[in-house]
Amino acid sequence: MTGVAAHEWWGWRDAWEAALYGPDGFYRSPEGPAGHFRTSVHASPLFAAAVARLLCRLDEALGRPAELDFVDMAAGRGELAGGVLAALPADVAVRTRVHAVEVADRPAGLDARIEWRSEPPRGVTGLLFANEWLDDVPVEVVATDADGVARRVLVRSDGAERLGEPVGGSDAGWLARWWPLPPEEGRRAEIGLPRDTAWAAAVATLDRGLAVAVDYAHTAAARPPYGTLTGFRDGRETRPVPDGSCDVTAHVALDACLLPGGRLLTQRAALHALGLSGARPPLALASSDPVAYVRALADAGAAAELTAPGGLGGFGWLLQPVGVAAPLLVDVPDHEEQ
């Protein structure tokens, strides 16, 4: 960890921040996130195409403004921003300003129409889309001691942990409201208050439009008893070590992030509502147009991966409209997609 001796103990939030976003942090590495883990964006271009359809629906709901914004939070190396821009109809693309928000430097070869930023723009009219951003907003990790008292977990750069002071103040309030821990030793939680704050700030950049957060998620009815803190390196899940060598991440309490008027649904439901289905193409197509059949079959396989209930389809989508009343996603029952 940059600037931190191996023997020093930090709260997880500060250690996590340095490990991911410090001068030599994980997210500043040349290969970017795609070198270590696969998101929906990397799984198939169908995902970017679905987001483009959502942006087009929003464009209509906004009355087709002269300038339409698409903000890609935690843009990685611009894969989603580029995919959405490529999938937009020409009449929408010509009015769309694409903003990629990322701490790393602008990658070489990125479409010149994409504006690279370290912070989201303000006064947005359009869609702010945060795919797997909130899970990488650092938070404090807490655990209960032998007396059932929730204490902050301290960590060294080698990943060793010990318990620190009892949780207090606003952190204690958030824990009591959103993730109360039973008084038994060893229970763990992640205090999502910084994520709630970050999400509210992102939504506040919109004048009119829609903010969407997509992430590994859980809600109050099913909080994990021992937390979700983990790491990823070279495509594999690994022990979370805050030394910059791996991604450090934890699932998101999306229900705590929800603002008035917002809505939660699964990625499976959201993508179905955007016309993405894993249904096989009709066999008759194999005879009439074999090439089209093979292409449609490949798309069905990719769509099935994106909507699989136990995988990417189980991700949470948080939809937060700002000044838009029209429903943009109408639930489609599973049986109508098969």
Side-chain angles (χ1 to χ4, degrees):
M1 186 190 309
T2 303
V4 181
H7 66 275
E8 291 191 64
W9 295 95
W10 280 21
W12 257 111
R13 184 183 179 188
D14 290 338
W16 190 338
E17 179 77 28
L20 294 191
Y21 306 113
D24 299 316
F26 176 83
Y27 276 102
R28 298 187 188 275
S29 63
E31 67 272 16
H36 295 271
F37 53 86
R38 189 166 177 260
T39 72
S40 296
V41 178
H42 308 118
S44 170
L46 294 178
F47 186 79
V51 176
R53 284 195 292 277
L54 177 59
L55 181 58
C56 288
R57 292 186 187 182
L58 180 60
D59 180 45
E60 292 293 335
L62 292 170
R64 296 176 58 83
E67 191 171 275
L68 181 69
D69 292 301
F70 175 68
V71 182
D72 180 12
M73 294 293 296
R77 295 302 177 265
E79 298 95 338
L80 180 61
V84 168
L85 188 55
L88 289 174
D91 65 312
V92 179
V94 74
R95 293 184 287 108
T96 301
R97 290 186 59 190
V98 180
H99 313 266
V101 182
E102 182 56 72
V103 297
D105 293 336
R106 182 187 183 94
L110 189 68
D111 192 311
R113 294 173 293 174
I114 298 173
E115 183 178 347
W116 197 259
R117 315 175 58 105
S118 60
E119 298 287 341
R122 302 197 67 83
V124 167
T125 297
L127 176 62
L128 181 145
F129 202 89
N131 187 63
E132 296 195 40
W133 168 50
L134 288 175
D135 66 299
D136 282 321
V137 173
V139 298
E140 293 291 3
V141 178
V142 300
T144 48
D145 63 15
D147 296 320
V149 175
R151 293 180 175 272
R152 201 161 63 117
V153 176
L154 306 181
V155 63
R156 295 189 316 208
S157 61
D158 62 1
E161 293 183 339
R162 69 175 175 85
L163 294 183
E165 71 277 12
V167 179
S170 58
D171 282 351
W174 188 95
L175 198 65
R177 168 66 179 87
W178 292 108
W179 199 335
L181 293 175
E184 59 184 67
E185 186 176 9
R187 299 296 287 267
R188 288 170 68 106
E190 296 98 31
I191 296 179
L193 183 58
R195 293 169 171 176
D196 301 354
T197 302
W199 180 243
V203 173
T205 65
L206 272 71
D207 280 352
R208 288 197 308 147
L210 178 70
V212 179
V214 181
D215 238 309
Y216 300 95
H218 49 73
T219 57
R223 300 286 189 225
Y226 303 107
T228 62
L229 185 71
T230 190
F232 285 93
R233 182 190 296 116
D234 299 328
R236 297 178 181 273
E237 190 168 5
T238 185
R239 186 170 71 99
V241 178
D243 62 358
S245 68
C246 68
D247 184 30
V248 178
T249 181
H251 296 196
V252 182
L254 272 183
D255 50 345
C257 297
L258 198 65
L259 298 169
R263 176 187 178 197
L264 294 177
L265 66 164
T266 66
Q267 175 156 298
R268 179 179 176 84
L271 292 183
H272 280 179
L274 289 168
L276 195 62
S277 169
R280 292 173 63 92
L283 284 175
L285 185 62
S287 300
S288 62
D289 191 340
V291 174
Y293 177 77
V294 170
R295 187 182 303 116
L297 197 61
D299 284 350
E305 180 185 3
L306 289 170
T307 59
L312 294 173
F315 274 42
W317 278 46
L318 189 166
L319 280 72
Q320 195 71 53
V322 177
V324 180
L328 299 167
L329 295 181
V330 178
D331 290 340
V332 177
D334 277 357
H335 67 83
E336 292 186 16
E337 290 290 336
Q338 302 307 316

